[in-house]
Amino acid sequence: MKANRGIALVDLDEDGVDRAFRADVLTGLRQQQKAIPARWFYDEAGSQLFEAITELEEYYPTRAETEILRARGSEFAALIGSGRAVIEFGSGSSVKTPLLLECIAPGAYVPLDISGDFLRESAAALAAKFPGLPVHPVEADFMRRVALPQEVTALPKLGFFPGSTIGNMVPRTAVDLLRSMRATLGADEGDCPMLLIGMDLVKEPAVLEAAYDDAQGVTAEFNLNVLARINRELGGTIPLDAFEHVAIWNDDFARIEMHLRALRAVTFEISGRSFAMQEGETIHTENSHKFTHRSANMLLQAGGWTPVQRWLDSEERFSVILARATEHRDAP
């Protein structure tokens, strides 16, 4: 069965500009510590660059998580069961998805992603690989509750959130996302969905910094691409050669931070608004929080999920956790 064309839920203005993208950029660049949410990395070019990052020698998370998905298929099948609609949040190229689908016999697959063209290409490729599987791509911002296609309403659901993307968010936002995932998957309607989620682990700063600042400069290109996207989609005049990519380990917050640092004083416009930056000033573009066993469990529980099982790769660099939506309780 071919993938359908999908559902587009992105809010565009009369000029075809994503309203949320413009609002986030204009608001973020007015802050004392200028910032752009990491989700806006993923236009088509950004999505392709990220896929290139996952193949780099320094970037271990993809290899570690793939090892877990390959090795634990029988355990996933036993705990998850068959016939569930797999809802993948931020599906990207769906490279890891077949490893999961092959072992759990799903009833349908619904990839959610904000990059529409990339989403539909990936969905079509996956539908060709699994010709009997209904595939329903949805172009949407999964940070908010998403209305799923009617075709999967009656099916039990499994959320799939690989890649430790949850680490890109500060704890408050991560909890909000986990709660919105719970709502998207139907927990508020009496269903009891499950969530399979990747979380990267705390380790030596040198290993982490190398993973986010590779020798080939692919991550730098990925980071700078968000400025190119602003220029293209929001009428920006940002001089790209005036910025450099920086990745640092912040031990206080257990996270890698990515910034774009101004190499000189610059002024530019975005959607008719003027901005200025001094030499050395940065735009904070991404966090990648790293977790311990306890901090991962606490985050999931705060978001309305009860951990069921946890798996590590052979070098104990990365974790994949299966959780079940927590039932409402009035008592502590």
Side-chain angles (χ1 to χ4, degrees):
M1 180 181 294
K2 292 184 178 180
N4 62 37
R5 288 292 295 169
I7 304 171
L9 299 177
V10 178
D11 182 19
L12 304 179
D13 67 11
E14 60 277 5
D15 296 320
V17 175
D18 188 319
R19 297 178 193 272
F21 179 37
R22 181 171 56 202
D24 278 353
V25 169
L26 295 179
T27 299
L29 293 183
R30 286 196 294 264
Q31 297 174 7
Q32 182 173 0
Q33 170 58 73
K34 293 177 170 57
I36 299 170
R39 63 190 178 128
W40 300 116
F41 281 138
Y42 299 98
D43 61 351
E44 186 168 4
S47 296
Q48 291 173 349
L49 284 166
F50 181 73
E51 295 306 320
I53 288 170
T54 66
E55 298 177 2
L56 294 170
E57 180 180 354
E58 298 96 328
Y59 194 79
Y60 63 86
T62 300
R63 293 191 300 276
E65 187 173 33
T66 299
E67 176 192 318
I68 296 169
L69 293 171
R70 289 187 189 280
R72 302 296 186 172
S74 61
E75 295 174 49
F76 297 152
L79 290 167
I80 294 168
S82 61
R84 288 183 180 265
V86 175
I87 317 300
E88 185 169 2
F89 297 91
S91 57
S93 68
S94 302
V95 170
K96 300 166 189 170
T97 312
L99 301 175
L100 176 64
L101 299 184
E102 285 168 354
C103 68
I104 65 167
Y109 173 61
V110 181
L112 310 179
D113 204 278
I114 202 167
S115 179
D117 291 341
F118 199 67
L119 165 71
R120 285 180 282 274
E121 290 172 8
S122 299
L126 192 138
K129 184 176 179 64
F130 295 88
L133 179 67
V135 178
H136 308 282
V138 177
E139 181 181 355
D141 176 6
F142 63 81
M143 294 297 294
R144 302 173 179 86
R145 179 177 181 172
V146 177
L148 297 177
Q150 290 184 348
E151 292 88 341
V152 304
T153 301
L155 296 176
K157 297 171 186 68
L158 170 71
F160 186 41
F161 198 40
S164 198
T165 306
I166 194 71
N168 293 150
M169 297 143 204
V170 296
R172 179 186 60 191
T173 306
V175 169
D176 287 345
L177 173 59
L178 289 167
R179 289 174 177 170
S180 72
M181 287 176 166
R182 193 174 180 277
T184 293
L185 296 173
D188 296 341
E189 284 74 46
D191 195 5
C192 190
M194 304 184 83
L195 176 67
L196 191 66
I197 183 170
M199 290 190 175
D200 198 9
L201 303 177
V202 172
K203 56 186 66 67
E204 297 82 3
V207 174
L208 292 167
E209 289 177 352
Y212 293 85
D213 191 12
D214 62 279
Q216 296 180 48
V218 180
T219 311
E221 187 179 357
F222 173 69
N223 199 5
L224 286 161
N225 179 68
V226 75
L227 301 184
R229 181 180 184 183
I230 290 170
N231 284 351
R232 184 178 66 254
E233 297 184 21
L234 303 181
T237 61
I238 303 171
L240 302 187
D241 63 353
F243 290 87
E244 67 175 352
H245 164 70
V246 179
I248 57 172
W249 171 249
N250 186 328
D251 195 62
D252 289 339
F253 294 100
R255 71 190 186 197
I256 283 282
E257 294 180 2
M258 283 183 13
H259 293 253
L260 290 165
R261 182 164 58 201
L263 297 169
R264 61 179 186 270
V266 293
T267 59
F268 52 86
E269 291 188 355
I270 300 172
S271 295
R273 310 284 181 88
S274 296
F275 297 91
M277 294 181 63
Q278 299 301 312
E279 180 181 352
E281 190 176 359
T282 72
I283 303 171
H284 190 171
T285 53
E286 184 177 57
N287 294 314
S288 187
H289 293 82
K290 308 304 174 185
F291 299 93
T292 64
H293 177 61
R294 289 184 178 89
S295 65
N297 283 356
M298 183 176 294
L299 184 67
L300 286 166
Q301 290 167 348
W305 297 93
T306 299
V308 173
Q309 183 63 277
R310 176 177 184 254
W311 298 272
L312 303 180
D313 68 292
S314 58
E315 296 185 37
E316 299 188 354
R317 300 166 296 177
F318 197 92
S319 65
V320 172
I321 301 171
L322 180 66
R324 185 182 300 276
T326 305
E327 294 183 12
H328 176 73
R329 294 180 60 190
D330 292 320

